Each structure stands twice: as C-alpha cells, then as structure tokens.
Amino acid sequence: MISISATPYDYELPEPGKFALVIIDMQRDFLEPSGFGAVLGNDVSRLQAIVPTLEQLLAAFRSLKLPVIHTLECHQPDLSDCPPAKIKRGHGSLKIGDRGPMGRILIKGEPGNAIIPELEPLPDEIVIYKPGKGAFYSTELEAILQEKGITHLLITGVTTEVCVQTTMREANDRGYECLMIEDATESYFPEFKHVALAMITAQGGIIGWTTTANHVLQALAKLPLGRAGFANN
Ligand code: C5J
C-alpha cells in the first residue's frame, strides 16, 4: 500500500484500478473570461490558475492508464431535469437556460457547457452529466464506481465549496475514501476555499483528507508500472 502525505493524516492509496481521479465541472462557462461565471462578476483567473496542475495530474493518470472521471453541471434543453427553484435562484440578469455569451447557460451540448480544451476527456474516460451540485445526485456515478470496484476518489475541480465539496460529502456518506487535492480545486472566493478545506479535515477527517498535487504525483511515481494499466471502461 502506498501512503500519500495528507491532512489530517496519511491517506492510503489502494491498488491501481480501485482509485480514480475525479475532475469536477471544469467547463468553459465557469472558467473563460467571456463565460457565465465572468458575466456574474466573478474573477475567473482564480479558477484558470489550477489548469496547469490539473493537466499534470491528468497526464499522470493517463500515462498509468488509471481511471479518470469528469463531471459537467448541465441540464436538458427543455429544463425538465432542473427544479424551478434552481432556475429562479439569484435574481441575476441571466438564468439557467437563457442565452449567454457562449450559448444557453448550463444546457448540455452548448459551447459554454463544454469542458475546457486543455482537459478535454478522452473517448474512454467517464463523463458524468449532473443536474445537481453533487455528482451522485440523479446520475449513474455510484453504479459505475460499484461496477468498476472503485473505492477511493481523488477529487479536484471547481468550485471548491459548491460542486466539489458537495460531491465529496455525497461520496463520504456512501463509504468512499475521499482525498481532495487542494491546489487542483479553486473557488471564486478564497475564504470559502480555505474554510471548505478546513471543514473536510476537521475532527480527524470528518469528510476525508486533503493533500497537494505534488504529493499525489510522488505517490503515483512509486506505483509499479506493471501493476497499473487499468482502462476506464
Ligand atoms: C456552481 C459548481 N458553483 N460547479 N457550480 O454553481 O461549483
């Protein structure tokens, strides 16, 4: 068993094939200067700053043929999977389903809803289209993890205190051992990220662990190459 130096204590990595890299909602509308996030007044450069770290992690997982799971927050074009309360929320000038700078906001298949080109999923990687903040709500994620025997999730993406933390909490309640990679997740609000990480690791790791991408990459480098080689599908 390989240990990753983590907070509040070392995280034990199981054998290859039993852990996956989860990349939450790295979609153009949240990250690009002309996207929905920017229209709402958020500083998207904060989120863009984690892209090189995510590229490194993704490259490492791909080179070892380890499972990678991407998620996208999105809804059907007729909004049948979007609760009216979610559409109404915020009193913003743009609502879910409205036409934004890169197509209809949070609608599956629209240009702004795509994952940024730097992290574009490969055909054999798992992509979860999620209508909620958490990746387990109303998706096939749990069935996929069970079918593949994945028990440990290394969680990244945006935004830390919303979709990333919600997913980690959902996973924790279902018995998955979760490690959040702190420099591969980001929020528009630095103080929210800071507190979200503290909440996860409080009380002896009540939701799970946190670590850095370097610690993960160092651990992956120790994997015997012959033991890796688990495809996503
Ligand atoms: C939000 C997300 N913040 N991916 N989505 O609405 O965190």
Side-chain angles (χ1 to χ4, degrees):
M1 188 120 4
I2 292 171
S3 290
I4 300 181
S5 175
T7 305
Y9 54 90
D10 285 359
Y11 178 85
E12 303 291 343
L13 208 54
E15 64 185 84
K18 293 195 169 175
F19 63 92
L21 178 68
V22 181
I23 306 179
I24 306 277
D25 297 1
M26 291 295 287
Q27 47 206 79
R28 295 182 61 202
D29 253 334
F30 294 149
L31 278 114
E32 294 192 2
S34 57
F36 180 44
V39 167
L40 293 177
N42 295 302
D43 174 9
V44 294
S45 67
R46 293 189 49 77
L47 273 50
Q48 285 167 355
I50 64 168
V51 173
T53 305
L54 272 166
E55 285 181 291
Q56 267 187 299
L57 288 165
L58 189 54
F61 270 72
R62 283 176 176 169
S63 74
L64 292 164
K65 296 197 175 5
L66 297 168
V68 177
I69 300 167
H70 304 260
T71 75
L72 281 166
E73 184 177 353
C74 62
H75 296 279
Q76 297 298 325
D78 65 1
L79 295 174
S80 54
D81 59 353
C82 188
K86 185 174 178 184
I87 301 174
K88 261 179 29 198
R89 191 75 51 83
H91 293 295
S93 57
L94 279 178
K95 296 192 303 297
I96 295 169
D98 287 350
R99 199 150 291 282
M102 288 192 286
R104 291 182 66 205
I105 306 297
L106 287 190
I107 300 299
K108 188 174 176 183
E110 294 288 333
N113 199 238
I115 290 175
I116 58 168
E118 296 91 322
L119 304 174
E120 196 179 334
L122 294 178
D124 69 340
E125 288 171 354
I126 298 157
V127 181
I128 301 291
Y129 298 92
K130 62 184 186 62
K133 302 304 181 195
F136 287 82
Y137 168 69
S138 207
T139 72
E140 66 284 20
L141 178 57
E142 191 166 15
I144 291 173
L145 296 177
Q146 282 175 2
E147 193 256 316
K148 293 184 182 304
I150 294 170
T151 53
H152 288 55
L153 302 176
L154 278 56
I155 301 183
T156 67
V158 299
T159 59
T160 313
E161 77 282 8
V162 186
C163 292
V164 178
Q165 188 181 199
T166 304
T167 297
M168 187 153 170
R169 286 172 181 270
E170 286 182 330
N172 181 59
D173 280 347
R174 286 165 173 79
Y176 294 94
E177 302 274 28
C178 299
L179 174 67
M180 192 182 289
I181 307 178
E182 57 196 52
D183 47 349
T185 180
E186 197 45 86
S187 169
Y188 297 124
F189 308 98
E191 67 277 25
F192 290 175
K193 173 178 177 178
H194 176 74
V195 173
L197 295 174
M199 283 195 275
I200 284 163
T201 58
Q203 301 177 71
I206 195 156
I207 308 296
W209 290 258
T210 63
T211 191
T212 62
N214 261 341
H215 285 316
V216 172
L217 293 169
Q218 281 163 14
L220 294 181
K222 290 184 199 153
L223 284 177
L225 280 177
R227 289 187 61 207
F230 287 78
N232 279 291
N233 291 310

